[in-house]
Amino acid sequence: MLLKILKTQLKPYGKFILLLVLLQLASIFLQLLLPALNARIIDDGIAKGDIELIWRLGGGMLLMALVQADAAIVAIYFGAKTAMGVGRDLRSRVYTTVSAFSNQQIKNFGAPTLITRGTNDVQQIQMTVLMFLNFMVMVPLMAIGGIVMAIQQDIGLSWLVWVSVPVLLILVSIMMTRLIPKFTVMQKNLDGINQVLREQLVGIRVVRAFAREAHEEERFAEANHKITDISVSIGRIFILLGPVITLILHVATAAVLYFGAFRVDAGIIEVGSLTAFLQYLLQILTAVMMGTFMMMMLPRALVSADRIGELLNAPTQVAPEAVAALATQKSSADDVAQEAQAKGLDLVCENLSFNYPGADVPVLENLTFTAPAGKTTAIIGGTGSGKTTLLDVLAGLAEPSAGSIRYGALDRAGVNPLGTELVERINVVPQKPYLFSGTIASNLRFADPDADEDRLWDVLRIAQAEEFARNRSTADPDAIEVQVTGAAGHGGGEAFAAELSAAEANQLPQVHGLESTIAQGGTDVSGGQRQRLCIARALVKRKPIYFFDDAFSALDVATEARLRAALTDELDGATVLLVAQRVASIRDADQILVLEAGKIVARGTHDELLDGSPTYREIVESQGGQEALALCETTSNDQTPEGGAQ
Ligand SMILES: Nc1ncnc2c1ncn2[C@@H]1O[C@H](COP(=O)(O)OP(=O)(O)OP(=O)(O)O)[C@@H](O)[C@H]1O
C-alpha cells in the first residue's frame, strides 16, 4: 500500500526528485574521492616531502569539500520540499475522501481514527519520504562506492568489510521483524487514547455531574499505560541500536588498525592507504547505519499506509474529487431546477423501509404517506420509534433499504445524496443543534453566504433570537490574538480565547450583535439560544421543504408559541415536517403521523386522533391530558413578547 500511495503522491514532484538525485550523485562522488586524495597527500606528499603536491591536492580537496557540502544542502532542501508537499497533498486527499463518505461510513470508522489517520499517519509517511529522499541514493552508492574504493586501497583487508556489514544487516532484520507488529499496536493505541480523550472532553459535564472523575481517570490511565507500554517496548529495541552500532564501528576501527599495522610493517600497503581504507570502512558502516534508520521508519510507515489506504479505498457514493464540484453545481434538468424554487413541494413516500447496517430489525417499516405543500405534517412517537431516522432518510443523510421518495417531480432514486438537488429543496433543523466557531453572522451565512444583514435580522426575529443577538457582546477576536500572541490580529482570535480569563476578556474592545463571537459547537450560548440560532440559520435561505427535528425542545412554552406563530407566516406555502415530543407543539398541525416501532400506527388531525388512536391518547395522557394542553395554550397566549426566556 505504501508503494501505491507513494507512486501517486510523488508524481507531481518528479522534477524535484530528479534534481535531488543528480545533486546527491555529485555529492557522493566527491565524498568518495576525498579519502583517496588524502591517502595521496600522506603517501606521496608527506612521506616524500613534496610540499607543492600537498598544497595542490589540499586545495583541490578544500574546493571539492565546499562543492560537496553545497550539493548536499540543496539536495536536502529539495527533499524537504518534496516530503512536505507529499504530506500536504496526502492530507487533503484523505480529507476529500472522508468528505465523500456516507454518514454511516463516518460513524463506522469513528471520528478519533479518522483524525489520527489524517494527521499522525500522514505525518509518519511524510517523515519516511523525507528520510528516503535524503538517503535512498546516498546509502547504496556510499556503501557500494565505499567497498570498491576500500578494495582498491587494499584487497587484503576487505574481509573486514564482509564481516562487519552483514553483522549490522542481520541486526537490522531482527529489529524490523520485531518492530512491525509493535507499530500496528502503537497506532491502534493512539486511536484508543484519542477516543477516550475526545469522549471525556465532550462529556465533561456529565462526568462531573455524576462525579465519575475517578472512573474516567482510570479509563484514561489505562489507555495511557497501553500507549506507554508499547512505546517503551519499541524504545527498548531502538535503544539497543546506538550501542550496537558504536560497538561495531569501534571494533572495526580497532581491527583495521591492528591488521593494517602488520601489512604496513610488511610493506604491503602504505600508511596513507591504510588511513583511506579506514575512512572508507567508516563511510560504509555509516551508510549501513543510515540505511538502518531509513528502514526503521519503514515499519511504522507501512502500518500508517495500510490505515490510510483503508480510507482511500473505501467505496464512496461519489468520486472524492467530484464532491466539491457536486456541492456547488445546480440541478441540471431545467424543470427540476425550476421546481426547487417553488414555494412548497409535495413530499411523497411509498413503502419506505430502512435498516441500520448489521441490524436485523428494520427501524422504519413500509411507511406510506404524503406531506403536502403548504401544510404542516407532524410526526410524534415514543423515543426510539424512528422519527429522527425518518427525517435523516428523507433529507438524504441515509439510504432507504426499500421504497420510494419523491420531492415534487424529483425522484430520490436518481439523486446523489452529496449533490445539491436535495440541499436546494430541504432546510433541516437537526435534533442536536450545532454552531461553528465564528460569529453569529458567519453561522447564519453558513446557509447563504450572500445573505444581507436585513435578512439575518429578519430570521433572528422570527426565531425569537433578535433580542439575544442585539444584546450580545464578546471580546474582539483580533484584540484577543494581539493580547495572547503579541502579534497583529488576523481574524483567528477565537482560537486563543480560552487563554484569557473572563476579566481580561472584558477589558478588551468588544464586538456586538451579528459580529459577536460564538465558540466551537456553540458552547458559549445556552441550549435554547443555540436552538434558536440553528432555527434562524435554517430560515436564511428560503426552500420549499423544512424539517424540524424536535427543534423546539429547549424553548419554554411561550417562546415556542411565539416562534410557531412567526414561522406560520414565514413558511406560508412550504412543506413542513415537524418532529416533536410535546403534543402542544404539534396540536395545530394539518396532519399528525403517530409512529410506533418504525410503523405509522395512526394518522389524522389532533381531534381525529384523540377520538381514534389509543396510542395518541396515551401520549396526550402521559403529558398531563387535555387540561395540561389547555393550560399550555392559555400560558402561551398570556405571555407578552418580552416574556420569553433568553
Ligand atoms: N446509527 C445507528 N445505528 C444503529 N441503530 C440506530 C442508529 N441510530 C438510531 N438507531 C436505532 O434506531 C431506532 C430509532 O432511532 P431514532 O433516533 O430514529 O428514534 P427517535 O424516534 O428519533 O427517538 P428520540 O425521540 O429519542 O429522538 C432506535 O431503536 C435506535 O436505537
Side-chain angles (χ1 to χ4, degrees), residues 446-505:
F446 213 74
D448 178 6
D450 301 326
D452 60 26
E453 282 202 8
D454 288 346
R455 179 66 188 152
L456 302 191
W457 283 117
D458 274 351
V459 294
L460 285 169
R461 198 169 305 124
I462 298 165
Q464 308 301 305
E466 184 187 6
E467 199 181 328
F468 151 71
R470 287 211 189 273
N471 294 336
R472 185 170 169 81
S473 293
T474 54
D476 182 349
D478 282 349
I480 295 178
E481 198 174 336
V482 173
Q483 172 94 350
V484 174
T485 65
H490 295 101
E494 298 96 336
F496 302 103
E499 292 180 38
L500 292 185
S501 68
E504 281 172 326

Side-chain angles (χ1 to χ4, degrees), residues 400-526:
S401 324
S404 68
I405 310 169
R406 269 183 292 114
Y407 313 83
L410 183 77
D411 194 331
R412 167 77 156 79
V415 167
N416 190 316
L418 294 177
T420 53
E421 279 118 327
L422 294 184
V423 175
E424 277 170 11
R425 285 167 175 75
I426 306 171
N427 264 324
V428 182
V429 185
Q431 190 175 29
K432 286 186 202 147
Y434 190 87
L435 296 170
F436 291 87
S437 59
T439 60
I440 290 186
S442 71
N443 270 287
L444 297 183
R445 289 203 174 100
F446 213 74
D448 178 6
D450 301 326
D452 60 26
E453 282 202 8
D454 288 346
R455 179 66 188 152
L456 302 191
W457 283 117
D458 274 351
V459 294
L460 285 169
R461 198 169 305 124
I462 298 165
Q464 308 301 305
E466 184 187 6
E467 199 181 328
F468 151 71
R470 287 211 189 273
N471 294 336
R472 185 170 169 81
S473 293
T474 54
D476 182 349
D478 282 349
I480 295 178
E481 198 174 336
V482 173
Q483 172 94 350
V484 174
T485 65
H490 295 101
E494 298 96 336
F496 302 103
E499 292 180 38
L500 292 185
S501 68
E504 281 172 326
N506 284 340
Q507 306 259 306
L508 293 174
Q510 302 284 302
V511 279
H512 311 278
L514 290 175
E515 292 315 313
S516 60
T517 56
I518 298 284
Q520 186 194 1
T523 48
D524 59 350
V525 294
S526 77

